[in-house]
Structure formats: C-alpha cells, structure tokens
Amino acid sequence: LRAMATSGTLKEEKATDGLRVSTKSEDVENMHRALQLAWQSNPVKSAYCVGCVIVDNKGQVLSDGYSREIEGNTHAEECALLKLAKLQTNLRGLKMYTTMEPCTKRT
C-alpha cells in the first residue's frame, strides 16, 4: 500500500513504478494506524517521524511502535519488534506496515 498523509488523513496514491498497490480495507486501516503512530513521534531535525504496525495472518495487531518511542532507540520498526519479542511470537506470516521505507537521515 502506498499512502500519503494529507492533513492527518490517508489518501491513496497511485503507484507509477510497477509496484503493486493494495486497496484492501485491512491494509488501509493498518496503514492509517501507522500514520497516527508517526504523529506521536517527538520531531527532531535529524530524523523523520515514522510509525509501524505488526499484524498476524488474521489481521490482529500484535505490536506497534513509533520513532523515538523507546529511549535509546530511533526506529519505529525496531520499537515494534522489541515489543513483539516480549510476546515470544513466531514471526512467520506476520505483516509489517511502516510509513517510511527505507529509513533515511535528514540533511
């Protein structure tokens, strides 16, 4: 799913580079949740605010995270994975929704 935030709402963006775009309602909902999490990030000049949601194959949210959520950590994906590790869940078949890929450093 490719999406962009516009005034805090989710707007579908058409892929023009041959990538597949999902319009399934569960994908849109999970991407929207990831965008909401990104807004919880403490803004800094040197990094982006990112949100991440991890769901199982039934669509149940198992973990989530956002940039700088955990002290000493800057990546939303890593925060979500650290919390998921506490559940000792098999990672096979899980989906990760993130608002930015790849993570980059602002200049």
XYZ file of all heavy atoms in Angstrom:
822
model
N 0.854 -1.181 0.000
C 0.000 0.000 0.000
C 0.885 1.224 0.000
O 1.797 1.323 0.794
C -0.893 -0.004 1.240
C -1.744 1.233 1.471
C -2.810 1.315 0.395
C -2.391 1.163 2.824
N 0.605 2.102 -0.867
C 1.280 3.383 -0.842
C 0.263 4.405 -0.399
O -0.858 4.432 -0.879
C 1.762 3.753 -2.233
C 3.009 3.078 -2.587
C 3.738 3.977 -3.500
N 4.975 3.307 -3.812
C 5.699 3.603 -4.829
N 5.342 4.542 -5.643
N 6.810 2.972 -5.047
N 0.645 5.214 0.528
C -0.277 6.229 1.022
C 0.502 7.466 1.392
O 1.695 7.426 1.608
C -1.037 5.708 2.227
N -0.179 8.545 1.476
C 0.458 9.780 1.918
C -0.469 10.483 2.901
O -1.676 10.388 2.815
C 0.780 10.684 0.723
C -0.395 10.993 -0.170
S 0.041 11.852 -1.676
C 0.284 13.502 -1.082
N 0.143 11.151 3.870
C -0.649 11.878 4.856
C -0.967 13.257 4.309
O -0.106 13.955 3.815
C 0.122 11.998 6.154
N -2.210 13.623 4.381
C -2.644 14.947 3.976
C -3.541 15.475 5.089
O -4.638 14.983 5.274
C -3.424 14.898 2.653
O -2.649 14.204 1.685
C -3.750 16.281 2.156
N -3.048 16.414 5.839
C -3.798 16.981 6.962
C -4.285 15.892 7.917
O -5.413 15.927 8.396
C -4.987 17.793 6.453
O -4.562 18.784 5.562
N -3.441 14.901 8.180
C -3.787 13.853 9.133
C -4.725 12.789 8.598
O -5.194 11.948 9.323
N -5.024 12.810 7.301
C -5.900 11.794 6.721
C -5.107 10.930 5.757
O -4.021 11.298 5.315
C -7.082 12.438 5.970
O -6.577 13.226 4.902
C -7.927 13.281 6.902
N -5.659 9.797 5.403
C -5.000 8.876 4.491
C -5.546 9.072 3.096
O -6.748 9.049 2.881
C -5.251 7.438 4.961
C -4.492 6.357 4.244
C -3.009 6.452 4.575
C -5.010 4.999 4.688
N -4.656 9.279 2.155
C -5.051 9.463 0.765
C -4.290 8.437 -0.067
O -3.077 8.340 0.016
C -4.692 10.870 0.312
C -4.996 11.155 -1.134
C -4.559 12.551 -1.493
C -4.712 12.791 -2.965
N -4.129 14.072 -3.361
N -5.005 7.662 -0.843
C -4.364 6.653 -1.682
C -3.575 7.318 -2.796
O -4.011 8.285 -3.397
C -5.421 5.733 -2.275
C -4.839 4.558 -3.003
C -5.904 3.638 -3.519
O -6.954 3.508 -2.875
O -5.682 3.066 -4.582
N -2.375 6.804 -3.028
C -1.524 7.322 -4.097
C -1.311 6.221 -5.117
O -0.984 5.094 -4.766
C -0.178 7.733 -3.504
C 0.798 8.270 -4.501
C 2.124 8.574 -3.839
O 2.206 9.580 -3.141
O 3.059 7.788 -4.018
N -1.499 6.508 -6.376
C -1.365 5.501 -7.425
C 0.117 5.242 -7.702
O 0.890 6.161 -7.909
C -2.057 5.989 -8.685
C -2.208 4.938 -9.738
C -3.094 5.439 -10.851
C -3.405 4.301 -11.802
N -4.334 4.742 -12.830
N 0.505 3.969 -7.676
C 1.892 3.593 -7.961
C 2.142 3.717 -9.459
O 1.357 3.259 -10.266
C 2.159 2.173 -7.490
N 3.254 4.344 -9.814
C 3.593 4.503 -11.225
C 4.881 3.774 -11.571
O 5.333 3.848 -12.697
C 3.761 6.003 -11.553
O 4.764 6.548 -10.693
C 2.459 6.749 -11.382
N 5.444 3.050 -10.607
C 6.723 2.387 -10.838
C 6.588 0.877 -10.954
O 7.552 0.148 -10.784
C 7.707 2.747 -9.736
C 7.170 2.456 -8.349
O 6.090 1.841 -8.240
O 7.827 2.834 -7.375
N 5.386 0.390 -11.242
C 5.180 -1.030 -11.415
C 4.949 -1.798 -10.130
O 4.738 -3.002 -10.162
N 4.983 -1.138 -8.990
C 4.728 -1.805 -7.723
C 3.239 -2.020 -7.539
O 2.418 -1.226 -8.002
C 5.281 -0.987 -6.552
C 6.794 -0.834 -6.511
C 7.190 0.074 -5.360
C 7.470 -2.182 -6.385
N 2.903 -3.092 -6.843
C 1.508 -3.420 -6.575
C 0.981 -2.533 -5.453
O 1.649 -2.317 -4.453
C 1.449 -4.883 -6.150
C 0.123 -5.510 -6.247
C 0.238 -6.998 -6.042
N 1.114 -7.318 -4.935
C 0.765 -8.032 -3.879
N -0.431 -8.525 -3.793
N 1.610 -8.270 -2.917
N -0.220 -2.030 -5.599
C -0.848 -1.186 -4.588
C -2.056 -1.924 -4.030
O -2.905 -2.394 -4.771
C -1.301 0.169 -5.187
C -2.029 0.990 -4.145
C -0.111 0.927 -5.727
N -2.113 -2.044 -2.709
C -3.242 -2.718 -2.080
C -4.311 -1.710 -1.698
O -4.005 -0.642 -1.177
C -2.776 -3.455 -0.830
O -3.890 -3.983 -0.143
N -5.553 -2.065 -1.963
C -6.669 -1.229 -1.516
C -7.567 -2.007 -0.569
O -8.691 -1.599 -0.307
C -7.488 -0.716 -2.722
O -7.933 -1.846 -3.480
C -6.661 0.208 -3.593
N -7.067 -3.155 -0.044
C -7.837 -3.924 0.917
C -8.079 -3.068 2.152
O -7.182 -2.378 2.626
C -7.088 -5.190 1.321
C -6.948 -6.212 0.240
C -6.208 -7.422 0.778
C -6.003 -8.467 -0.282
N -5.214 -9.591 0.250
N -9.287 -3.152 2.694
C -9.636 -2.296 3.824
C -8.717 -2.521 5.024
O -8.352 -1.571 5.707
C -11.094 -2.493 4.224
O -11.316 -3.824 4.637
N -8.301 -3.780 5.285
C -7.429 -4.022 6.437
C -6.049 -3.398 6.221
O -5.427 -2.908 7.170
C -7.303 -5.507 6.775
C -6.680 -6.360 5.697
C -7.673 -7.008 4.756
O -8.835 -6.568 4.664
O -7.276 -7.970 4.084
N -5.562 -3.368 4.987
C -4.287 -2.719 4.705
C -4.398 -1.211 4.907
O -3.515 -0.582 5.495
C -3.827 -3.019 3.277
C -3.403 -4.469 3.083
O -3.013 -5.124 4.075
O -3.459 -4.949 1.937
N -5.482 -0.636 4.425
C -5.693 0.805 4.585
C -5.817 1.158 6.066
O -5.213 2.124 6.535
C -6.942 1.266 3.791
C -7.279 2.719 4.096
C -6.714 1.067 2.303
N -6.566 0.366 6.825
C -6.731 0.628 8.265
C -5.397 0.532 9.002
O -5.091 1.375 9.858
C -7.727 -0.360 8.868
C -9.153 -0.114 8.455
C -10.102 -1.211 8.924
O -9.784 -1.910 9.902
O -11.161 -1.358 8.298
N -4.602 -0.489 8.699
C -3.319 -0.641 9.374
C -2.332 0.448 8.985
O -1.552 0.913 9.816
C -2.732 -2.028 9.118
C -3.485 -3.095 9.872
O -3.846 -2.913 11.025
N -3.749 -4.206 9.218
N -2.379 0.869 7.734
C -1.515 1.971 7.309
C -1.947 3.268 7.988
O -1.109 4.068 8.408
C -1.570 2.101 5.788
C -0.464 2.906 5.204
S 1.125 2.131 5.493
C 2.174 3.523 5.209
N -3.243 3.456 8.132
C -3.754 4.636 8.819
C -3.293 4.639 10.275
O -2.880 5.662 10.819
C -5.282 4.692 8.740
C -5.843 5.979 9.227
N -6.317 6.135 10.508
C -5.980 7.187 8.625
C -6.730 7.377 10.664
N -6.540 8.030 9.541
N -3.345 3.480 10.927
C -2.863 3.368 12.307
C -1.373 3.719 12.386
O -0.940 4.409 13.301
C -3.123 1.958 12.825
C -2.679 1.747 14.250
C -2.928 0.305 14.702
N -2.336 0.065 15.986
C -3.005 -0.080 17.120
N -4.315 -0.014 17.106
N -2.382 -0.286 18.248
N -0.590 3.229 11.420
C 0.841 3.547 11.403
C 1.069 5.050 11.240
O 1.951 5.632 11.886
C 1.541 2.765 10.288
N 0.251 5.688 10.407
C 0.358 7.151 10.254
C 0.025 7.873 11.557
O 0.682 8.853 11.931
C -0.563 7.634 9.132
C -0.083 7.363 7.718
C -1.209 7.605 6.717
C 1.126 8.213 7.385
N -1.001 7.397 12.258
C -1.360 8.005 13.548
C -0.212 7.851 14.548
O 0.073 8.768 15.321
C -2.633 7.369 14.092
C -3.867 7.758 13.314
C -5.104 7.000 13.776
O -5.034 5.845 14.184
N -6.241 7.665 13.704
N 0.442 6.685 14.544
C 1.584 6.475 15.428
C 2.734 7.419 15.086
O 3.407 7.940 15.980
C 2.062 5.022 15.353
C 1.160 4.010 16.037
C 1.467 2.599 15.547
C 1.319 4.099 17.550
N 2.960 7.648 13.805
C 4.034 8.555 13.386
C 3.833 9.949 13.978
O 4.802 10.611 14.361
C 4.100 8.622 11.862
N 2.587 10.368 14.096
C 2.288 11.686 14.674
C 2.640 11.742 16.158
O 2.775 12.821 16.724
C 0.818 12.039 14.467
C 0.526 12.472 13.060
C -0.035 11.726 12.068
C 0.788 13.746 12.480
N -0.130 12.452 10.906
C 0.366 13.702 11.137
C 1.350 14.926 12.961
C 0.495 14.788 10.282
C 1.466 16.010 12.104
C 1.047 15.931 10.785
N 2.806 10.591 16.820
C 3.181 10.563 18.236
C 4.690 10.744 18.428
O 5.146 10.980 19.540
C 2.748 9.250 18.886
C 1.252 9.084 18.971
C 0.866 7.787 19.656
O 1.452 7.381 20.640
N -0.131 7.121 19.107
N 5.452 10.627 17.350
C 6.905 10.765 17.429
C 7.291 12.186 17.812
O 6.681 13.148 17.353
C 7.546 10.443 16.077
O 7.224 9.145 15.656
N 8.314 12.282 18.643
C 8.863 13.580 19.001
C 9.695 14.082 17.821
O 10.711 13.478 17.488
C 9.732 13.458 20.256
C 10.299 14.787 20.696
O 9.714 15.824 20.453
N 11.449 14.738 21.342
N 9.282 15.162 17.159
C 10.012 15.638 15.985
C 11.430 16.105 16.339
O 11.642 16.748 17.357
C 9.177 16.818 15.492
C 7.851 16.674 16.140
C 8.090 15.963 17.427
N 12.374 15.732 15.493
C 13.750 16.209 15.593
C 14.213 16.577 14.193
O 13.713 16.036 13.205
C 14.701 15.152 16.225
C 14.330 14.861 17.674
C 14.714 13.870 15.429
N 15.188 17.494 14.108
C 15.649 17.954 12.799
C 16.409 16.889 12.025
O 16.422 16.896 10.806
C 16.537 19.185 12.963
C 15.780 20.419 13.375
C 16.682 21.616 13.448
C 15.888 22.838 13.865
N 16.723 24.038 13.909
N 17.030 15.936 12.716
C 17.925 14.989 12.058
C 17.258 13.678 11.630
O 17.920 12.827 11.034
C 19.089 14.662 12.990
O 18.604 14.062 14.176
N 15.964 13.487 11.913
C 15.319 12.209 11.573
C 13.835 12.421 11.305
O 13.240 13.397 11.748
C 15.507 11.209 12.713
N 13.257 11.466 10.620
C 11.836 11.516 10.293
C 10.986 10.901 11.394
O 11.467 10.113 12.204
C 11.572 10.776 8.974
C 12.192 11.459 7.789
C 13.415 11.037 7.288
C 11.565 12.544 7.196
C 13.990 11.680 6.203
C 12.132 13.186 6.107
C 13.351 12.746 5.624
O 13.911 13.381 4.557
N 9.719 11.226 11.396
C 8.748 10.632 12.315
C 8.055 9.489 11.572
O 7.395 9.715 10.563
C 7.729 11.676 12.763
S 8.453 12.986 13.763
N 8.228 8.274 12.088
C 7.756 7.073 11.414
C 6.876 6.278 12.361
O 7.118 6.253 13.567
C 8.956 6.212 10.945
C 8.490 4.924 10.277
C 9.852 7.013 10.013
N 5.861 5.613 11.827
C 5.017 4.711 12.596
C 5.071 3.320 12.004
O 5.328 3.153 10.812
N 4.838 2.311 12.845
C 4.908 0.922 12.406
C 3.856 0.091 13.137
O 3.653 0.263 14.341
C 6.298 0.368 12.711
S 6.499 -1.377 12.330
N 3.202 -0.809 12.408
C 2.212 -1.727 12.974
C 2.549 -3.131 12.476
O 2.824 -3.319 11.291
C 0.777 -1.346 12.534
C -0.240 -2.355 13.032
C 0.418 0.048 13.022
N 2.518 -4.109 13.385
C 2.753 -5.505 13.025
C 1.490 -6.293 13.340
O 0.969 -6.215 14.455
C 3.952 -6.088 13.794
C 5.226 -5.294 13.468
C 4.138 -7.569 13.457
C 6.439 -5.699 14.285
N 0.989 -7.040 12.337
C -0.243 -7.815 12.497
C 0.006 -9.282 12.150
O 0.919 -9.605 11.390
C -1.393 -7.262 11.624
C -1.715 -5.819 11.967
C -1.074 -7.392 10.158
N -0.835 -10.163 12.715
C -0.727 -11.588 12.391
C -1.534 -11.889 11.135
O -2.147 -10.998 10.539
C -1.139 -12.470 13.576
C -2.604 -12.349 13.964
O -3.424 -11.811 13.173
O -2.953 -12.800 15.069
N -1.553 -13.169 10.725
C -2.230 -13.538 9.479
C -3.750 -13.454 9.558
O -4.432 -13.609 8.563
C -1.795 -14.934 9.010
C -2.103 -16.015 10.025
O -2.669 -15.744 11.090
N -1.731 -17.232 9.719
N -4.287 -13.180 10.748
C -5.728 -12.972 10.908
C -6.066 -11.487 10.986
O -7.210 -11.112 11.160
C -6.229 -13.687 12.165
C -6.093 -15.191 12.077
C -6.546 -15.850 13.346
C -6.325 -17.352 13.256
N -6.588 -18.035 14.518
N -5.040 -10.634 10.904
C -5.248 -9.201 10.940
C -5.225 -8.586 12.318
O -5.454 -7.392 12.466
N -4.926 -9.379 13.350
C -4.880 -8.860 14.719
C -3.561 -8.118 14.928
O -2.492 -8.639 14.623
C -4.998 -9.993 15.727
C -4.927 -9.518 17.162
C -5.033 -10.665 18.154
O -5.310 -11.804 17.801
N -4.802 -10.355 19.404
N -3.646 -6.906 15.470
C -2.449 -6.130 15.761
C -1.731 -6.764 16.945
O -2.300 -6.944 18.016
C -2.795 -4.654 16.073
C -1.553 -3.891 16.506
C -3.444 -3.983 14.866
N -0.460 -7.130 16.726
C 0.349 -7.736 17.779
C 1.274 -6.731 18.444
O 1.589 -6.840 19.623
C 1.194 -8.880 17.208
C 0.436 -10.038 16.584
C 1.410 -11.062 16.037
C -0.503 -10.678 17.608
N 1.725 -5.751 17.671
C 2.664 -4.774 18.204
C 2.647 -3.536 17.320
O 2.229 -3.585 16.167
C 4.072 -5.373 18.240
O 4.991 -4.484 18.858
N 3.121 -2.447 17.870
C 3.277 -1.222 17.096
C 4.388 -0.392 17.715
O 4.875 -0.698 18.807
C 1.968 -0.436 17.004
C 1.398 -0.035 18.361
O 2.159 0.095 19.339
O 0.175 0.139 18.448
N 4.797 0.630 17.017
C 5.848 1.498 17.532
C 5.949 2.762 16.707
O 5.368 2.858 15.623
N 6.685 3.713 17.237
C 6.932 4.947 16.509
C 8.334 5.450 16.824
O 8.963 5.007 17.784
C 5.873 6.012 16.817
C 5.689 6.343 18.283
C 6.447 7.334 18.896
C 4.754 5.664 19.059
C 6.272 7.645 20.231
C 4.569 5.968 20.389
C 5.340 6.962 20.968
O 5.170 7.260 22.296
N 8.828 6.314 15.994
C 10.190 6.827 16.132
C 10.425 7.422 17.511
O 9.601 8.167 18.023
C 10.461 7.918 15.092
O 10.292 7.416 13.799
N 11.546 7.036 18.107
C 11.994 7.552 19.407
C 11.040 7.224 20.549
O 11.035 7.869 21.576
C 12.272 9.060 19.313
C 13.414 9.357 18.350
C 13.542 10.801 17.983
N 12.430 11.341 17.207
C 12.215 11.094 15.927
N 13.013 10.319 15.254
N 11.185 11.626 15.301
N 10.226 6.181 20.382
C 9.292 5.763 21.434
C 10.040 5.190 22.637
O 9.695 5.462 23.786
C 8.334 4.713 20.880
C 7.397 4.141 21.929
C 6.531 3.018 21.405
O 6.763 2.530 20.288
O 5.598 2.625 22.123
N 11.032 4.364 22.373
C 11.807 3.720 23.426
C 13.135 4.455 23.562
O 13.828 4.665 22.558
C 12.032 2.228 23.110
C 10.685 1.502 23.039
C 12.959 1.576 24.138
C 10.772 0.069 22.550
N 13.502 4.827 24.757
C 14.736 5.568 24.992
C 15.930 4.822 24.411
O 16.054 3.612 24.563
C 14.941 5.789 26.494
C 16.076 6.744 26.786
C 16.152 7.119 28.247
O 15.111 7.150 28.915
O 17.275 7.380 28.704
N 16.792 5.561 23.747
C 17.968 4.968 23.141
C 17.689 4.338 21.790
O 18.554 3.714 21.195
N 16.478 4.495 21.285
C 16.086 3.892 20.025
C 15.453 4.951 19.140
O 14.707 5.798 19.606
C 15.081 2.768 20.291
C 14.674 2.074 19.025
O 13.973 2.650 18.215
N 15.140 0.865 18.844
N 15.737 4.904 17.861
C 15.177 5.911 16.968
C 14.208 5.356 15.942
O 13.464 6.097 15.330
C 16.300 6.641 16.201
O 17.052 5.679 15.465
C 17.194 7.394 17.146
N 14.188 4.039 15.722
C 13.420 3.474 14.632
C 12.087 2.868 15.088
O 12.048 2.058 16.008
C 14.233 2.402 13.912
C 15.477 2.953 13.294
N 15.467 3.666 12.116
C 16.766 2.916 13.695
C 16.690 4.038 11.819
N 17.503 3.597 12.756
N 11.016 3.245 14.408
C 9.682 2.730 14.724
C 9.622 1.218 14.581
O 9.045 0.524 15.418
C 8.649 3.377 13.792
N 10.227 0.698 13.525
C 10.204 -0.739 13.273
C 10.908 -1.506 14.400
O 10.426 -2.541 14.848
C 10.873 -1.060 11.927
C 10.231 -0.367 10.745
C 10.756 1.049 10.489
O 11.568 1.575 11.291
O 10.348 1.632 9.480
N 12.039 -0.990 14.840
C 12.766 -1.653 15.919
C 11.972 -1.609 17.222
O 11.928 -2.595 17.962
C 14.144 -1.025 16.112
C 15.000 -1.803 17.079
C 16.417 -1.290 17.174
O 16.777 -0.337 16.464
O 17.173 -1.854 17.987
N 11.321 -0.495 17.506
C 10.480 -0.401 18.709
C 9.375 -1.454 18.659
O 9.125 -2.153 19.647
C 9.867 0.996 18.824
S 11.048 2.298 19.212
N 8.714 -1.585 17.522
C 7.634 -2.576 17.380
C 8.174 -3.996 17.524
O 7.555 -4.843 18.179
C 6.930 -2.405 16.036
N 9.333 -4.273 16.938
C 9.918 -5.610 17.031
C 10.385 -5.932 18.449
O 10.249 -7.067 18.908
C 11.072 -5.758 16.039
C 10.657 -5.858 14.569
C 11.874 -5.719 13.664
C 9.917 -7.148 14.301
N 10.932 -4.948 19.158
C 11.349 -5.178 20.551
C 10.147 -5.535 21.422
O 10.226 -6.445 22.255
C 12.062 -3.940 21.107
C 13.471 -3.697 20.591
C 13.964 -2.312 21.030
C 14.422 -4.782 21.072
N 9.039 -4.846 21.220
C 7.827 -5.159 21.984
C 7.267 -6.520 21.587
O 6.801 -7.280 22.431
C 6.777 -4.052 21.801
C 7.184 -2.741 22.467
C 6.045 -1.749 22.491
C 5.919 -1.024 21.199
N 4.866 0.004 21.230
N 7.348 -6.843 20.291
C 6.863 -8.132 19.805
C 7.692 -9.282 20.391
O 7.156 -10.337 20.711
C 6.906 -8.165 18.280
C 6.357 -9.420 17.616
C 4.863 -9.575 17.884
C 6.625 -9.367 16.120
N 8.989 -9.077 20.552
C 9.876 -10.119 21.087
C 9.443 -10.562 22.486
O 9.591 -11.728 22.848
C 11.315 -9.628 21.107
N 8.882 -9.657 23.249
C 8.409 -9.991 24.598
C 7.250 -10.986 24.557
O 7.019 -11.702 25.514
C 7.994 -8.727 25.343
C 9.155 -7.805 25.654
C 8.695 -6.544 26.340
C 9.862 -5.609 26.568
N 9.448 -4.358 27.191
N 6.522 -11.028 23.436
C 5.399 -11.954 23.290
C 5.855 -13.342 22.869
O 5.063 -14.283 22.883
C 4.398 -11.415 22.252
C 3.751 -10.079 22.546
C 2.872 -9.656 21.368
C 2.952 -10.124 23.825
N 7.114 -13.480 22.490
C 7.677 -14.746 22.019
C 6.795 -15.379 20.940
O 6.430 -16.547 21.000
C 7.902 -15.708 23.185
C 8.883 -15.171 24.188
C 9.147 -16.119 25.332
O 8.377 -17.028 25.586
N 10.239 -15.906 26.025
N 6.457 -14.586 19.946
C 5.594 -14.997 18.845
C 6.425 -15.437 17.648
O 7.455 -14.851 17.347
C 4.700 -13.802 18.421
O 3.914 -13.419 19.528
C 3.800 -14.147 17.271
N 5.946 -16.457 16.951
C 6.572 -16.881 15.706
C 6.360 -15.760 14.678
O 5.237 -15.294 14.482
C 5.926 -18.180 15.224
C 6.566 -18.714 13.961
O 7.296 -18.027 13.265
N 6.278 -19.962 13.675
N 7.408 -15.343 14.015
C 7.325 -14.232 13.067
C 6.794 -14.644 11.696
O 6.445 -13.791 10.891
C 8.697 -13.573 12.908
C 9.331 -13.026 14.179
C 10.683 -12.415 13.862
C 8.424 -12.014 14.851
N 6.702 -15.921 11.432
C 6.245 -16.396 10.122
C 4.808 -15.930 9.859
O 3.923 -16.099 10.681
C 6.310 -17.910 10.055
C 6.009 -18.457 8.666
C 6.194 -19.956 8.583
N 7.531 -20.398 8.930
C 8.569 -20.418 8.087
N 8.405 -20.004 6.861
N 9.752 -20.842 8.474
N 4.620 -15.330 8.702
C 3.283 -14.919 8.286
C 2.833 -13.557 8.797
O 1.735 -13.113 8.476
N 3.672 -12.878 9.578
C 3.288 -11.559 10.076
C 3.497 -10.511 8.997
O 4.325 -10.660 8.113
C 4.108 -11.195 11.319
C 4.011 -12.142 12.506
C 4.797 -11.579 13.688
C 2.583 -12.407 12.894
N 2.723 -9.433 9.088
C 2.866 -8.305 8.168
C 3.300 -7.080 8.961
O 2.826 -6.847 10.071
C 1.540 -7.965 7.485
C 1.094 -8.951 6.459
C -0.188 -8.444 5.800
C -0.723 -9.415 4.790
N -1.959 -8.902 4.170
N 4.187 -6.302 8.366
C 4.627 -5.047 8.970
C 4.190 -3.897 8.065
O 4.435 -3.907 6.859
C 6.144 -5.019 9.130
C 6.667 -3.716 9.698
S 8.477 -3.672 9.808
C 8.735 -4.647 11.284
N 3.520 -2.938 8.655
C 3.120 -1.724 7.957
C 3.969 -0.594 8.515
O 4.001 -0.375 9.727
C 1.638 -1.409 8.202
C 0.703 -2.468 7.680
C 0.400 -3.598 8.430
C 0.118 -2.329 6.426
C -0.467 -4.573 7.946
C -0.746 -3.297 5.935
C -1.031 -4.410 6.702
O -1.886 -5.367 6.220
N 4.670 0.108 7.656
C 5.508 1.210 8.106
C 5.310 2.402 7.179
O 5.052 2.233 5.986
C 6.992 0.787 8.192
O 7.768 1.855 8.714
C 7.533 0.353 6.853
N 5.423 3.588 7.729
C 5.128 4.792 6.964
C 6.316 5.288 6.158
O 6.190 6.265 5.435
C 4.640 5.928 7.885
O 5.659 6.222 8.838
C 3.346 5.543 8.568
N 7.463 4.596 6.270
C 8.627 5.044 5.516
C 9.558 3.876 5.246
O 9.883 3.121 6.151
C 9.386 6.111 6.297
C 10.551 6.669 5.558
S 11.271 7.968 6.555
C 12.637 8.377 5.547
N 9.960 3.748 4.013
C 10.936 2.721 3.656
C 11.730 3.222 2.468
O 11.146 3.647 1.479
C 10.224 1.409 3.306
C 11.104 0.294 2.863
C 12.188 -0.094 3.851
O 11.988 -0.045 5.043
O 13.276 -0.426 3.358
N 13.002 3.235 2.488
C 13.842 2.907 3.643
C 13.981 4.098 4.572
O 13.748 5.237 4.151
C 15.181 2.562 2.998
C 15.218 3.444 1.785
C 13.777 3.528 1.294
N 14.378 3.843 5.821
C 14.663 4.941 6.740
C 15.898 5.673 6.223
O 16.830 5.070 5.739
C 14.935 4.412 8.152
S 13.477 3.774 8.961
N 15.849 6.960 6.321
C 16.994 7.765 5.883
C 17.280 8.822 6.927
O 16.492 9.060 7.828
C 16.710 8.462 4.546
O 15.585 9.328 4.711
C 16.445 7.480 3.435
N 18.405 9.469 6.769
C 18.781 10.550 7.675
C 18.496 11.872 6.968
O 18.827 12.039 5.800
C 20.257 10.448 8.036
C 20.693 11.471 9.038
C 22.128 11.237 9.447
C 22.508 12.265 10.490
N 23.877 12.072 10.951
N 17.879 12.769 7.686
C 17.614 14.089 7.122
C 18.911 14.865 7.035
O 19.783 14.751 7.880
C 16.650 14.871 8.015
C 15.241 14.502 7.834
C 14.375 15.434 8.619
N 12.993 15.231 8.253
C 12.006 15.911 8.784
N 12.221 16.828 9.678
N 10.777 15.664 8.398
N 19.009 15.688 6.013
C 20.188 16.539 5.881
C 19.781 17.979 5.809
O 18.677 18.327 5.580
C 20.998 16.182 4.623
O 20.137 16.263 3.489
C 21.578 14.797 4.754
